[in-house]
Amino acid sequence: MSAADTTTPATLPPPRQAPPPGGTRQPHGKRTSGGAGTPWLLLAPCLVILALVMGYPLVRLVTLSFQKFGQSQLWGFQPAESVGFDNFAEVLGDGEFWQVVLRTIIFAAGSVIFTMVLGMLVALLLQRVSGWVKTLINIALVASWGMPVIVATTVFKWLFDADYGILNALLSRLPGVDLIGHNWFASGPEGLAVIMLLVVWGAVPFVVITLSAGLTQVPKELEEAARLDGAGAWGVFRYVTLPILKPIIVMLTTLSVIWDMGVFPQVFVMRNGHPEAEFQLLTTYSYDRAFVVNDYAQGSAIALITVVLLLGVVAVYMRQMLKIGDVE
């Protein structure tokens, strides 16, 4: 018997059939279509909750802004009457409203600028301190960030109290300074400056933590190369660090504008639930119109105008992010 007869013949795979002339066969077509719908299926519970929590109030807000709706309509003595754009015309024609808008913009701009500058300085400082100091600072930041707004407002209210405030007592120890009994809320600018300080104090921790995470992604090689080329600390920050952090800075700035234009509890609690005219921002102004003057339609119109302004801020943010994406 030869070697050829004792060798086990190799098993060849069956010949591959050609695809049908109608097109390429897709045996997993059903799995592909199911995979495309899986993300929407997973997002469905969240979308339903958002529609229930935010959808109805927003629709109701838009409806009220085009109606005449006061206490009579609230208690059912009179039906709600459609008035078209009369509420918006009355609000936009009121000089007090534009003063509130200007005050809100100045307040939000000041809060955002101080928050971003202070947050960036603290984040850069955290890159240059020892580990245990960084840990202590992070603990303090998280503690201040997690403090409820009402508690923080109450603490600041006590700090700046005219009779028992510790700040007046400490400042009065400086040579030539006498602030005993000074009322920080006697005028609108001083009072809003105190409230702005409270807002910045509560917003800085989030900015610091986010920027600190972004600074860890800055390549050390680029910084070293910039220093070898003769760039100082400011040059390295301007031409290396800042461009890399630009997407994060744009995001934080946009979020800060939205949050600071929507400030309500700080002003409301600091002024004992009755903000004076010099302390009115868009949120408190809308609240007063709706629940103090009992003109719910005008309050809704002011709130809707505020939403439109914030949507403009979001549109600017999306445009900047798209430009950053095109550059990258």
Side-chain angles (χ1 to χ4, degrees), residues 194-316:
V194 174
I195 299 174
M196 183 185 299
L197 181 61
L198 169 61
V199 172
V200 171
W201 180 83
V204 161
F206 176 74
V207 175
V208 172
I209 294 172
T210 306
L211 289 177
S212 297
L215 287 171
T216 60
Q217 304 303 315
V218 179
K220 300 300 180 183
E221 297 81 4
L222 294 180
E223 294 181 346
E224 186 64 27
R227 294 189 185 95
L228 292 176
D229 290 338
W234 171 248
V236 173
F237 174 76
R238 180 180 178 182
Y239 296 107
V240 177
T241 306
L242 203 58
I244 295 176
L245 293 180
K246 185 178 180 180
I248 299 178
I249 294 174
V250 171
M251 178 197 68
L252 290 174
T253 303
T254 306
L255 292 176
S256 298
V257 171
I258 294 174
W259 291 337
D260 294 343
M261 287 192 67
V263 166
F264 177 83
Q266 292 90 334
V267 180
F268 191 79
V269 176
M270 196 74 78
R271 302 313 303 143
N272 300 318
H274 302 285
E276 297 86 346
E278 294 180 335
F279 291 88
Q280 292 286 357
L281 302 179
L282 277 174
T283 50
T284 58
Y285 187 64
S286 173
Y287 176 88
D288 277 4
R289 284 286 180 172
F291 299 103
V292 177
V293 184
N294 294 321
D295 192 343
Y296 305 101
Q298 275 202 11
S300 299
I302 296 170
L304 188 59
I305 293 173
T306 305
V307 172
V308 173
L309 292 176
L310 295 179
L311 288 178
V313 176
V314 174
V316 173

Side-chain angles (χ1 to χ4, degrees), residues 111-224:
S111 300
V112 171
I113 292 173
F114 283 112
T115 299
M116 295 302 300
V117 171
L118 185 59
M120 179 63 75
L121 292 176
V122 176
L124 292 173
L125 177 63
L126 288 177
Q127 305 299 313
R128 291 165 173 80
V129 296
S130 59
W132 69 271
V133 176
K134 182 185 297 185
T135 302
L136 291 178
I137 295 177
N138 285 327
I139 292 174
L141 290 173
V142 173
S144 62
W145 188 23
M147 182 177 295
V149 177
I150 303 300
V151 176
T153 306
T154 304
V155 171
F156 267 74
K157 189 176 180 181
W158 170 74
L159 289 175
F160 289 90
D161 187 78
D163 298 322
Y164 308 102
I166 190 174
L167 184 66
N168 288 348
L170 291 177
L171 293 177
S172 298
R173 292 179 178 271
L174 299 176
V177 178
D178 184 14
L179 291 177
I180 298 298
H182 177 72
N183 187 2
W184 293 90
F185 299 96
S187 65
E190 280 191 8
L192 286 177
V194 174
I195 299 174
M196 183 185 299
L197 181 61
L198 169 61
V199 172
V200 171
W201 180 83
V204 161
F206 176 74
V207 175
V208 172
I209 294 172
T210 306
L211 289 177
S212 297
L215 287 171
T216 60
Q217 304 303 315
V218 179
K220 300 300 180 183
E221 297 81 4
L222 294 180
E223 294 181 346
E224 186 64 27

